[in-house]
Amino acid sequence: MPNLNFHPAGHHYLQIPGPSPVPDRILRAISYPTIDHRGPEFGELGRKVLADIGKIFKTGQPVVIYPASGTGAWEAALSNTMGKGDTVLMYETGHFASLWKKMAERLGLVPEFLGMPGIEGWRRGVQADKIEARLRQDKEHVIKAVCVVHNETSTGVTSDIAAVRRAIDAAGHPALLLVDTISGLGSVDYRHDEWGVDVTISGSQKGLMLPPGISFNAVSTKALEASKHASMGRAFWAWDEIIEMNKTGYWPYTPNTNLLYGLSESLDMLLEEGLDNIFARHERLAEACRAAVRAWGLEIQCVEDGRHSPVLTGVMMPEGVDADQVRKLIYENFNMSLGTGLGKLKGLMFRIGHLGDTNDLALIATLGGCQMGLRMSGVKLKGDGVAAAMDRLQATAKPQARYPKGSNS
Ligand code: PLP
């Protein structure tokens, strides 16, 4: 058995943009005894989580829950709706959009990748007009799906999904709209039905505050219809059998019982706090974080106004500073994990996660660790970022709401 008790005194600051810290309330729920997944109590649990999860996606249509990481739910979305050789229009917002494209290739699809050269497209959201222009050219309707990432976890940019829907409609194109909100759901406003999304993909380990291990497909009627004719092979991921059995609260295979206890608790917590309050909390913390980065005189990875992610902030390093060395120093000295730069951004930036079960003082501690680490790494900071964030939080502070079941952690 490896020694997992390797952290020094005090709690570890897990400030990566997912997995996010799991509140005690959820950890306790996960520790309930594992029950018979064909017994009566399980059916009750299944029906409850399946009813409540739709409220988070804002959908009245089926949500399929898989015992898999988010990558599995990506594959499920493509394999249920597409056939080998189909063209899909994907948009390069960052590393995760690129990984999804790679998966599409491996599945035998033909992805077209829109975007901008170098890292320019990795600093902005999806440009819906580019999607509209490409769809207008596709008179034969060769493109079967438009695939976009809502909250690009590798960059800290949130895209406008309603604008993508409008672009598809303006072009009069029948392509399905597939959206990855793995790191957006439960932290950033998301509306599966209202935005006309056909498949929404999400995961447990970010805004839902659960450990990794479950993922989701929210599915529209149009996507379900497409799945009846989609020719790509699928078995484990197939929606039809799962949706049929879910009607009674069960799954066709052994579901992730203990993580579903956790999901039930997570959904209670999210609904008790209220989605609008949660979105406002994330937005406020993200603004304070950006105030700190600006006060340091460092660049924020996202350069497009209004598209900054409420979930994480990407911090660019000055020339010659290796972001991973800064992260390593902070980890070793201050017991805090920050997100690494991924893909094209390796070494150029680090990511501060401020999502899920978090609050003002957690952010101030995080920024304190960053500020000390940056100084120790020889980065010349223009000003006091922690003070700037505190000013921002203090100016917008209000008494904390207390929820019926007590403290959230
Ligand atoms: N998409 C996004 C936006 C992500 O942030 C992640 C993981 O962080 C994934 C996809 C892949 O999900 P997983 O690592 O759970 O398989």
PDB file of all heavy atoms in Angstrom, residues 253-288:
ATOM      1  N   TYR A 253     -26.294  -2.431 -15.996  1.00  0.00           N
ATOM      2  CA  TYR A 253     -25.051  -3.009 -15.468  1.00  0.00           C
ATOM      3  C   TYR A 253     -24.885  -2.518 -14.032  1.00  0.00           C
ATOM      4  O   TYR A 253     -25.752  -1.795 -13.519  1.00  0.00           O
ATOM      5  CB  TYR A 253     -23.843  -2.588 -16.334  1.00  0.00           C
ATOM      6  CG  TYR A 253     -23.856  -1.106 -16.643  1.00  0.00           C
ATOM      7  CD1 TYR A 253     -23.512  -0.170 -15.664  1.00  0.00           C
ATOM      8  CD2 TYR A 253     -24.270  -0.630 -17.895  1.00  0.00           C
ATOM      9  CE1 TYR A 253     -23.558   1.175 -15.927  1.00  0.00           C
ATOM     10  CE2 TYR A 253     -24.317   0.728 -18.155  1.00  0.00           C
ATOM     11  CZ  TYR A 253     -23.966   1.621 -17.173  1.00  0.00           C
ATOM     12  OH  TYR A 253     -24.031   2.967 -17.414  1.00  0.00           O
ATOM     13  N   THR A 254     -23.792  -2.864 -13.367  1.00  0.00           N
ATOM     14  CA  THR A 254     -23.595  -2.434 -11.980  1.00  0.00           C
ATOM     15  C   THR A 254     -23.198  -0.957 -11.955  1.00  0.00           C
ATOM     16  O   THR A 254     -22.121  -0.607 -12.433  1.00  0.00           O
ATOM     17  CB  THR A 254     -22.481  -3.269 -11.311  1.00  0.00           C
ATOM     18  OG1 THR A 254     -22.698  -4.637 -11.627  1.00  0.00           O
ATOM     19  CG2 THR A 254     -22.469  -3.054  -9.812  1.00  0.00           C
ATOM     20  N   PRO A 255     -24.054  -0.097 -11.458  1.00  0.00           N
ATOM     21  CA  PRO A 255     -23.696   1.322 -11.430  1.00  0.00           C
ATOM     22  C   PRO A 255     -22.755   1.633 -10.276  1.00  0.00           C
ATOM     23  O   PRO A 255     -22.474   0.774  -9.440  1.00  0.00           O
ATOM     24  CB  PRO A 255     -25.037   2.011 -11.252  1.00  0.00           C
ATOM     25  CG  PRO A 255     -25.911   1.009 -10.579  1.00  0.00           C
ATOM     26  CD  PRO A 255     -25.371  -0.360 -10.858  1.00  0.00           C
ATOM     27  N   ASN A 256     -22.311   2.878 -10.247  1.00  0.00           N
ATOM     28  CA  ASN A 256     -21.327   3.306  -9.267  1.00  0.00           C
ATOM     29  C   ASN A 256     -22.045   3.712  -7.968  1.00  0.00           C
ATOM     30  O   ASN A 256     -22.159   4.891  -7.643  1.00  0.00           O
ATOM     31  CB  ASN A 256     -20.603   4.498  -9.893  1.00  0.00           C
ATOM     32  CG  ASN A 256     -19.186   4.565  -9.469  1.00  0.00           C
ATOM     33  OD1 ASN A 256     -18.869   4.182  -8.350  1.00  0.00           O
ATOM     34  ND2 ASN A 256     -18.335   5.056 -10.342  1.00  0.00           N
ATOM     35  N   THR A 257     -22.513   2.720  -7.220  1.00  0.00           N
ATOM     36  CA  THR A 257     -23.429   2.955  -6.094  1.00  0.00           C
ATOM     37  C   THR A 257     -22.959   4.080  -5.166  1.00  0.00           C
ATOM     38  O   THR A 257     -23.706   5.019  -4.881  1.00  0.00           O
ATOM     39  CB  THR A 257     -23.578   1.665  -5.258  1.00  0.00           C
ATOM     40  OG1 THR A 257     -23.829   0.588  -6.142  1.00  0.00           O
ATOM     41  CG2 THR A 257     -24.668   1.796  -4.226  1.00  0.00           C
ATOM     42  N   ASN A 258     -21.716   3.976  -4.682  1.00  0.00           N
ATOM     43  CA  ASN A 258     -21.286   4.941  -3.671  1.00  0.00           C
ATOM     44  C   ASN A 258     -21.121   6.347  -4.235  1.00  0.00           C
ATOM     45  O   ASN A 258     -21.403   7.335  -3.553  1.00  0.00           O
ATOM     46  CB  ASN A 258     -20.023   4.458  -2.970  1.00  0.00           C
ATOM     47  CG  ASN A 258     -20.328   3.280  -2.085  1.00  0.00           C
ATOM     48  OD1 ASN A 258     -20.835   2.265  -2.564  1.00  0.00           O
ATOM     49  ND2 ASN A 258     -20.064   3.403  -0.801  1.00  0.00           N
ATOM     50  N   LEU A 259     -20.697   6.436  -5.512  1.00  0.00           N
ATOM     51  CA  LEU A 259     -20.617   7.775  -6.102  1.00  0.00           C
ATOM     52  C   LEU A 259     -22.022   8.338  -6.338  1.00  0.00           C
ATOM     53  O   LEU A 259     -22.222   9.555  -6.329  1.00  0.00           O
ATOM     54  CB  LEU A 259     -19.823   7.758  -7.406  1.00  0.00           C
ATOM     55  CG  LEU A 259     -18.307   7.737  -7.248  1.00  0.00           C
ATOM     56  CD1 LEU A 259     -17.635   7.795  -8.607  1.00  0.00           C
ATOM     57  CD2 LEU A 259     -17.807   8.885  -6.380  1.00  0.00           C
ATOM     58  N   LEU A 260     -22.998   7.452  -6.513  1.00  0.00           N
ATOM     59  CA  LEU A 260     -24.380   7.950  -6.669  1.00  0.00           C
ATOM     60  C   LEU A 260     -24.924   8.471  -5.334  1.00  0.00           C
ATOM     61  O   LEU A 260     -25.699   9.431  -5.308  1.00  0.00           O
ATOM     62  CB  LEU A 260     -25.287   6.870  -7.260  1.00  0.00           C
ATOM     63  CG  LEU A 260     -24.945   6.492  -8.714  1.00  0.00           C
ATOM     64  CD1 LEU A 260     -25.831   5.346  -9.193  1.00  0.00           C
ATOM     65  CD2 LEU A 260     -25.076   7.678  -9.664  1.00  0.00           C
ATOM     66  N   TYR A 261     -24.512   7.874  -4.211  1.00  0.00           N
ATOM     67  CA  TYR A 261     -24.839   8.483  -2.904  1.00  0.00           C
ATOM     68  C   TYR A 261     -24.270   9.901  -2.869  1.00  0.00           C
ATOM     69  O   TYR A 261     -24.907  10.847  -2.411  1.00  0.00           O
ATOM     70  CB  TYR A 261     -24.168   7.747  -1.742  1.00  0.00           C
ATOM     71  CG  TYR A 261     -24.660   6.381  -1.388  1.00  0.00           C
ATOM     72  CD1 TYR A 261     -23.748   5.407  -0.966  1.00  0.00           C
ATOM     73  CD2 TYR A 261     -26.005   6.052  -1.409  1.00  0.00           C
ATOM     74  CE1 TYR A 261     -24.157   4.147  -0.580  1.00  0.00           C
ATOM     75  CE2 TYR A 261     -26.426   4.784  -1.029  1.00  0.00           C
ATOM     76  CZ  TYR A 261     -25.498   3.835  -0.616  1.00  0.00           C
ATOM     77  OH  TYR A 261     -25.905   2.590  -0.235  1.00  0.00           O
ATOM     78  N   GLY A 262     -23.012  10.002  -3.320  1.00  0.00           N
ATOM     79  CA  GLY A 262     -22.350  11.316  -3.328  1.00  0.00           C
ATOM     80  C   GLY A 262     -23.078  12.278  -4.249  1.00  0.00           C
ATOM     81  O   GLY A 262     -23.267  13.451  -3.916  1.00  0.00           O
ATOM     82  N   LEU A 263     -23.511  11.784  -5.411  1.00  0.00           N
ATOM     83  CA  LEU A 263     -24.226  12.646  -6.353  1.00  0.00           C
ATOM     84  C   LEU A 263     -25.528  13.147  -5.730  1.00  0.00           C
ATOM     85  O   LEU A 263     -25.890  14.323  -5.870  1.00  0.00           O
ATOM     86  CB  LEU A 263     -24.504  11.881  -7.655  1.00  0.00           C
ATOM     87  CG  LEU A 263     -25.315  12.638  -8.706  1.00  0.00           C
ATOM     88  CD1 LEU A 263     -24.597  13.909  -9.159  1.00  0.00           C
ATOM     89  CD2 LEU A 263     -25.602  11.751  -9.923  1.00  0.00           C
ATOM     90  N   SER A 264     -26.222  12.267  -5.032  1.00  0.00           N
ATOM     91  CA  SER A 264     -27.477  12.660  -4.398  1.00  0.00           C
ATOM     92  C   SER A 264     -27.224  13.813  -3.418  1.00  0.00           C
ATOM     93  O   SER A 264     -27.962  14.806  -3.378  1.00  0.00           O
ATOM     94  CB  SER A 264     -28.069  11.438  -3.694  1.00  0.00           C
ATOM     95  OG  SER A 264     -29.112  11.825  -2.862  1.00  0.00           O
ATOM     96  N   GLU A 265     -26.148  13.676  -2.642  1.00  0.00           N
ATOM     97  CA  GLU A 265     -25.798  14.712  -1.660  1.00  0.00           C
ATOM     98  C   GLU A 265     -25.393  16.006  -2.372  1.00  0.00           C
ATOM     99  O   GLU A 265     -25.772  17.103  -1.968  1.00  0.00           O
ATOM    100  CB  GLU A 265     -24.641  14.192  -0.786  1.00  0.00           C
ATOM    101  CG  GLU A 265     -24.480  14.878   0.537  1.00  0.00           C
ATOM    102  CD  GLU A 265     -25.652  14.642   1.489  1.00  0.00           C
ATOM    103  OE1 GLU A 265     -26.377  13.637   1.343  1.00  0.00           O
ATOM    104  OE2 GLU A 265     -25.836  15.498   2.376  1.00  0.00           O
ATOM    105  N   SER A 266     -24.609  15.854  -3.438  1.00  0.00           N
ATOM    106  CA  SER A 266     -24.161  17.018  -4.205  1.00  0.00           C
ATOM    107  C   SER A 266     -25.361  17.781  -4.767  1.00  0.00           C
ATOM    108  O   SER A 266     -25.422  19.018  -4.701  1.00  0.00           O
ATOM    109  CB  SER A 266     -23.243  16.546  -5.341  1.00  0.00           C
ATOM    110  OG  SER A 266     -23.298  17.410  -6.438  1.00  0.00           O
ATOM    111  N   LEU A 267     -26.320  17.035  -5.306  1.00  0.00           N
ATOM    112  CA  LEU A 267     -27.501  17.688  -5.888  1.00  0.00           C
ATOM    113  C   LEU A 267     -28.289  18.419  -4.808  1.00  0.00           C
ATOM    114  O   LEU A 267     -28.757  19.545  -5.024  1.00  0.00           O
ATOM    115  CB  LEU A 267     -28.375  16.648  -6.604  1.00  0.00           C
ATOM    116  CG  LEU A 267     -27.713  16.009  -7.838  1.00  0.00           C
ATOM    117  CD1 LEU A 267     -28.500  14.803  -8.328  1.00  0.00           C
ATOM    118  CD2 LEU A 267     -27.561  17.035  -8.955  1.00  0.00           C
ATOM    119  N   ASP A 268     -28.402  17.809  -3.613  1.00  0.00           N
ATOM    120  CA  ASP A 268     -29.081  18.502  -2.503  1.00  0.00           C
ATOM    121  C   ASP A 268     -28.360  19.817  -2.199  1.00  0.00           C
ATOM    122  O   ASP A 268     -28.985  20.858  -2.014  1.00  0.00           O
ATOM    123  CB  ASP A 268     -29.072  17.640  -1.236  1.00  0.00           C
ATOM    124  CG  ASP A 268     -30.051  16.471  -1.318  1.00  0.00           C
ATOM    125  OD1 ASP A 268     -30.843  16.427  -2.285  1.00  0.00           O
ATOM    126  OD2 ASP A 268     -30.004  15.594  -0.431  1.00  0.00           O
ATOM    127  N   MET A 269     -27.033  19.743  -2.132  1.00  0.00           N
ATOM    128  CA  MET A 269     -26.256  20.948  -1.792  1.00  0.00           C
ATOM    129  C   MET A 269     -26.442  22.036  -2.847  1.00  0.00           C
ATOM    130  O   MET A 269     -26.630  23.211  -2.529  1.00  0.00           O
ATOM    131  CB  MET A 269     -24.766  20.605  -1.651  1.00  0.00           C
ATOM    132  CG  MET A 269     -24.467  19.798  -0.403  1.00  0.00           C
ATOM    133  SD  MET A 269     -22.751  19.209  -0.331  1.00  0.00           S
ATOM    134  CE  MET A 269     -21.897  20.742   0.009  1.00  0.00           C
ATOM    135  N   LEU A 270     -26.366  21.642  -4.120  1.00  0.00           N
ATOM    136  CA  LEU A 270     -26.487  22.633  -5.202  1.00  0.00           C
ATOM    137  C   LEU A 270     -27.877  23.264  -5.200  1.00  0.00           C
ATOM    138  O   LEU A 270     -28.017  24.481  -5.346  1.00  0.00           O
ATOM    139  CB  LEU A 270     -26.220  21.977  -6.561  1.00  0.00           C
ATOM    140  CG  LEU A 270     -24.797  21.450  -6.810  1.00  0.00           C
ATOM    141  CD1 LEU A 270     -24.728  20.664  -8.121  1.00  0.00           C
ATOM    142  CD2 LEU A 270     -23.783  22.586  -6.838  1.00  0.00           C
ATOM    143  N   LEU A 271     -28.890  22.438  -4.973  1.00  0.00           N
ATOM    144  CA  LEU A 271     -30.258  22.967  -5.024  1.00  0.00           C
ATOM    145  C   LEU A 271     -30.579  23.780  -3.777  1.00  0.00           C
ATOM    146  O   LEU A 271     -31.340  24.745  -3.827  1.00  0.00           O
ATOM    147  CB  LEU A 271     -31.267  21.830  -5.245  1.00  0.00           C
ATOM    148  CG  LEU A 271     -31.085  21.116  -6.610  1.00  0.00           C
ATOM    149  CD1 LEU A 271     -31.952  19.866  -6.700  1.00  0.00           C
ATOM    150  CD2 LEU A 271     -31.369  22.053  -7.786  1.00  0.00           C
ATOM    151  N   GLU A 272     -29.961  23.421  -2.633  1.00  0.00           N
ATOM    152  CA  GLU A 272     -30.151  24.226  -1.416  1.00  0.00           C
ATOM    153  C   GLU A 272     -29.530  25.616  -1.588  1.00  0.00           C
ATOM    154  O   GLU A 272     -30.137  26.623  -1.238  1.00  0.00           O
ATOM    155  CB  GLU A 272     -29.478  23.543  -0.214  1.00  0.00           C
ATOM    156  CG  GLU A 272     -30.263  22.383   0.354  1.00  0.00           C
ATOM    157  CD  GLU A 272     -29.384  21.435   1.186  1.00  0.00           C
ATOM    158  OE1 GLU A 272     -28.257  21.822   1.561  1.00  0.00           O
ATOM    159  OE2 GLU A 272     -29.834  20.302   1.435  1.00  0.00           O
ATOM    160  N   GLU A 273     -28.317  25.665  -2.119  1.00  0.00           N
ATOM    161  CA  GLU A 273     -27.674  26.973  -2.303  1.00  0.00           C
ATOM    162  C   GLU A 273     -28.373  27.749  -3.417  1.00  0.00           C
ATOM    163  O   GLU A 273     -28.486  28.983  -3.341  1.00  0.00           O
ATOM    164  CB  GLU A 273     -26.176  26.802  -2.631  1.00  0.00           C
ATOM    165  CG  GLU A 273     -25.435  28.136  -2.719  1.00  0.00           C
ATOM    166  CD  GLU A 273     -23.930  28.009  -2.876  1.00  0.00           C
ATOM    167  OE1 GLU A 273     -23.403  26.871  -2.810  1.00  0.00           O
ATOM    168  OE2 GLU A 273     -23.272  29.052  -3.077  1.00  0.00           O
ATOM    169  N   GLY A 274     -28.854  27.065  -4.415  1.00  0.00           N
ATOM    170  CA  GLY A 274     -29.541  27.719  -5.549  1.00  0.00           C
ATOM    171  C   GLY A 274     -28.553  27.996  -6.668  1.00  0.00           C
ATOM    172  O   GLY A 274     -27.486  28.586  -6.425  1.00  0.00           O
ATOM    173  N   LEU A 275     -28.909  27.594  -7.890  1.00  0.00           N
ATOM    174  CA  LEU A 275     -27.954  27.722  -8.996  1.00  0.00           C
ATOM    175  C   LEU A 275     -27.529  29.169  -9.215  1.00  0.00           C
ATOM    176  O   LEU A 275     -26.345  29.449  -9.429  1.00  0.00           O
ATOM    177  CB  LEU A 275     -28.546  27.134 -10.286  1.00  0.00           C
ATOM    178  CG  LEU A 275     -28.656  25.599 -10.312  1.00  0.00           C
ATOM    179  CD1 LEU A 275     -29.323  25.126 -11.592  1.00  0.00           C
ATOM    180  CD2 LEU A 275     -27.286  24.944 -10.150  1.00  0.00           C
ATOM    181  N   ASP A 276     -28.466  30.102  -9.135  1.00  0.00           N
ATOM    182  CA  ASP A 276     -28.082  31.501  -9.400  1.00  0.00           C
ATOM    183  C   ASP A 276     -27.095  32.006  -8.350  1.00  0.00           C
ATOM    184  O   ASP A 276     -26.161  32.746  -8.673  1.00  0.00           O
ATOM    185  CB  ASP A 276     -29.322  32.398  -9.440  1.00  0.00           C
ATOM    186  CG  ASP A 276     -30.148  32.125 -10.694  1.00  0.00           C
ATOM    187  OD1 ASP A 276     -29.601  31.511 -11.645  1.00  0.00           O
ATOM    188  OD2 ASP A 276     -31.338  32.488 -10.719  1.00  0.00           O
ATOM    189  N   ASN A 277     -27.286  31.587  -7.088  1.00  0.00           N
ATOM    190  CA  ASN A 277     -26.335  31.993  -6.036  1.00  0.00           C
ATOM    191  C   ASN A 277     -24.954  31.379  -6.305  1.00  0.00           C
ATOM    192  O   ASN A 277     -23.920  32.008  -6.080  1.00  0.00           O
ATOM    193  CB  ASN A 277     -26.816  31.521  -4.664  1.00  0.00           C
ATOM    194  CG  ASN A 277     -28.097  32.236  -4.258  1.00  0.00           C
ATOM    195  OD1 ASN A 277     -28.322  33.373  -4.651  1.00  0.00           O
ATOM    196  ND2 ASN A 277     -28.936  31.554  -3.499  1.00  0.00           N
ATOM    197  N   ILE A 278     -24.956  30.133  -6.765  1.00  0.00           N
ATOM    198  CA  ILE A 278     -23.682  29.450  -7.046  1.00  0.00           C
ATOM    199  C   ILE A 278     -22.942  30.163  -8.185  1.00  0.00           C
ATOM    200  O   ILE A 278     -21.737  30.415  -8.101  1.00  0.00           O
ATOM    201  CB  ILE A 278     -23.935  27.973  -7.417  1.00  0.00           C
ATOM    202  CG1 ILE A 278     -24.494  27.226  -6.206  1.00  0.00           C
ATOM    203  CG2 ILE A 278     -22.666  27.310  -7.941  1.00  0.00           C
ATOM    204  CD1 ILE A 278     -24.977  25.813  -6.505  1.00  0.00           C
ATOM    205  N   PHE A 279     -23.689  30.497  -9.244  1.00  0.00           N
ATOM    206  CA  PHE A 279     -23.037  31.172 -10.384  1.00  0.00           C
ATOM    207  C   PHE A 279     -22.468  32.519  -9.935  1.00  0.00           C
ATOM    208  O   PHE A 279     -21.354  32.885 -10.322  1.00  0.00           O
ATOM    209  CB  PHE A 279     -24.034  31.386 -11.539  1.00  0.00           C
ATOM    210  CG  PHE A 279     -24.673  30.114 -12.051  1.00  0.00           C
ATOM    211  CD1 PHE A 279     -25.937  30.134 -12.634  1.00  0.00           C
ATOM    212  CD2 PHE A 279     -24.001  28.902 -11.955  1.00  0.00           C
ATOM    213  CE1 PHE A 279     -26.526  28.964 -13.104  1.00  0.00           C
ATOM    214  CE2 PHE A 279     -24.584  27.720 -12.421  1.00  0.00           C
ATOM    215  CZ  PHE A 279     -25.846  27.757 -12.991  1.00  0.00           C
ATOM    216  N   ALA A 280     -23.241  33.247  -9.104  1.00  0.00           N
ATOM    217  CA  ALA A 280     -22.774  34.567  -8.638  1.00  0.00           C
ATOM    218  C   ALA A 280     -21.536  34.409  -7.753  1.00  0.00           C
ATOM    219  O   ALA A 280     -20.589  35.205  -7.827  1.00  0.00           O
ATOM    220  CB  ALA A 280     -23.895  35.270  -7.879  1.00  0.00           C
ATOM    221  N   ARG A 281     -21.528  33.357  -6.917  1.00  0.00           N
ATOM    222  CA  ARG A 281     -20.359  33.120  -6.045  1.00  0.00           C
ATOM    223  C   ARG A 281     -19.109  32.883  -6.895  1.00  0.00           C
ATOM    224  O   ARG A 281     -18.033  33.451  -6.632  1.00  0.00           O
ATOM    225  CB  ARG A 281     -20.657  31.917  -5.130  1.00  0.00           C
ATOM    226  CG  ARG A 281     -19.496  31.463  -4.278  1.00  0.00           C
ATOM    227  CD  ARG A 281     -19.935  30.525  -3.136  1.00  0.00           C
ATOM    228  NE  ARG A 281     -20.640  29.323  -3.576  1.00  0.00           N
ATOM    229  CZ  ARG A 281     -20.043  28.208  -4.011  1.00  0.00           C
ATOM    230  NH1 ARG A 281     -18.735  28.154  -4.076  1.00  0.00           N
ATOM    231  NH2 ARG A 281     -20.762  27.161  -4.369  1.00  0.00           N
ATOM    232  N   HIS A 282     -19.238  32.053  -7.911  1.00  0.00           N
ATOM    233  CA  HIS A 282     -18.085  31.769  -8.779  1.00  0.00           C
ATOM    234  C   HIS A 282     -17.621  33.027  -9.523  1.00  0.00           C
ATOM    235  O   HIS A 282     -16.425  33.286  -9.627  1.00  0.00           O
ATOM    236  CB  HIS A 282     -18.432  30.661  -9.786  1.00  0.00           C
ATOM    237  CG  HIS A 282     -18.386  29.281  -9.205  1.00  0.00           C
ATOM    238  ND1 HIS A 282     -19.388  28.771  -8.419  1.00  0.00           N
ATOM    239  CD2 HIS A 282     -17.449  28.309  -9.287  1.00  0.00           C
ATOM    240  CE1 HIS A 282     -19.068  27.543  -8.037  1.00  0.00           C
ATOM    241  NE2 HIS A 282     -17.894  27.237  -8.547  1.00  0.00           N
ATOM    242  N   GLU A 283     -18.571  33.778 -10.026  1.00  0.00           N
ATOM    243  CA  GLU A 283     -18.246  34.996 -10.782  1.00  0.00           C
ATOM    244  C   GLU A 283     -17.476  35.981  -9.902  1.00  0.00           C
ATOM    245  O   GLU A 283     -16.469  36.563 -10.321  1.00  0.00           O
ATOM    246  CB  GLU A 283     -19.571  35.614 -11.250  1.00  0.00           C
ATOM    247  CG  GLU A 283     -19.483  36.574 -12.404  1.00  0.00           C
ATOM    248  CD  GLU A 283     -18.911  35.942 -13.664  1.00  0.00           C
ATOM    249  OE1 GLU A 283     -19.599  35.118 -14.311  1.00  0.00           O
ATOM    250  OE2 GLU A 283     -17.746  36.268 -13.978  1.00  0.00           O
ATOM    251  N   ARG A 284     -17.942  36.127  -8.661  1.00  0.00           N
ATOM    252  CA  ARG A 284     -17.322  37.093  -7.738  1.00  0.00           C
ATOM    253  C   ARG A 284     -15.890  36.665  -7.386  1.00  0.00           C
ATOM    254  O   ARG A 284     -14.970  37.483  -7.363  1.00  0.00           O
ATOM    255  CB  ARG A 284     -18.214  37.185  -6.486  1.00  0.00           C
ATOM    256  CG  ARG A 284     -17.749  38.146  -5.439  1.00  0.00           C
ATOM    257  CD  ARG A 284     -18.817  38.318  -4.361  1.00  0.00           C
ATOM    258  NE  ARG A 284     -18.226  38.921  -3.175  1.00  0.00           N
ATOM    259  CZ  ARG A 284     -17.638  38.213  -2.210  1.00  0.00           C
ATOM    260  NH1 ARG A 284     -17.591  36.899  -2.271  1.00  0.00           N
ATOM    261  NH2 ARG A 284     -17.096  38.841  -1.176  1.00  0.00           N
ATOM    262  N   LEU A 285     -15.704  35.379  -7.126  1.00  0.00           N
ATOM    263  CA  LEU A 285     -14.353  34.891  -6.796  1.00  0.00           C
ATOM    264  C   LEU A 285     -13.425  35.044  -8.005  1.00  0.00           C
ATOM    265  O   LEU A 285     -12.255  35.428  -7.860  1.00  0.00           O
ATOM    266  CB  LEU A 285     -14.405  33.421  -6.349  1.00  0.00           C
ATOM    267  CG  LEU A 285     -15.087  33.165  -5.002  1.00  0.00           C
ATOM    268  CD1 LEU A 285     -15.189  31.662  -4.728  1.00  0.00           C
ATOM    269  CD2 LEU A 285     -14.340  33.848  -3.848  1.00  0.00           C
ATOM    270  N   ALA A 286     -13.954  34.762  -9.190  1.00  0.00           N
ATOM    271  CA  ALA A 286     -13.120  34.867 -10.402  1.00  0.00           C
ATOM    272  C   ALA A 286     -12.696  36.310 -10.637  1.00  0.00           C
ATOM    273  O   ALA A 286     -11.543  36.575 -11.003  1.00  0.00           O
ATOM    274  CB  ALA A 286     -13.899  34.330 -11.603  1.00  0.00           C
ATOM    275  N   GLU A 287     -13.628  37.244 -10.382  1.00  0.00           N
ATOM    276  CA  GLU A 287     -13.279  38.667 -10.555  1.00  0.00           C
ATOM    277  C   GLU A 287     -12.169  39.063  -9.596  1.00  0.00           C
ATOM    278  O   GLU A 287     -11.234  39.786  -9.964  1.00  0.00           O
ATOM    279  CB  GLU A 287     -14.499  39.546 -10.285  1.00  0.00           C
ATOM    280  CG  GLU A 287     -15.353  39.747 -11.503  1.00  0.00           C
ATOM    281  CD  GLU A 287     -16.668  40.457 -11.186  1.00  0.00           C
ATOM    282  OE1 GLU A 287     -16.792  41.053 -10.095  1.00  0.00           O
ATOM    283  OE2 GLU A 287     -17.566  40.374 -12.036  1.00  0.00           O
ATOM    284  N   ALA A 288     -12.271  38.583  -8.352  1.00  0.00           N
ATOM    285  CA  ALA A 288     -11.237  38.920  -7.351  1.00  0.00           C
ATOM    286  C   ALA A 288      -9.907  38.303  -7.773  1.00  0.00           C
ATOM    287  O   ALA A 288      -8.834  38.927  -7.622  1.00  0.00           O
ATOM    288  CB  ALA A 288     -11.659  38.423  -5.977  1.00  0.00           C
TER     289      ALA A 288
END
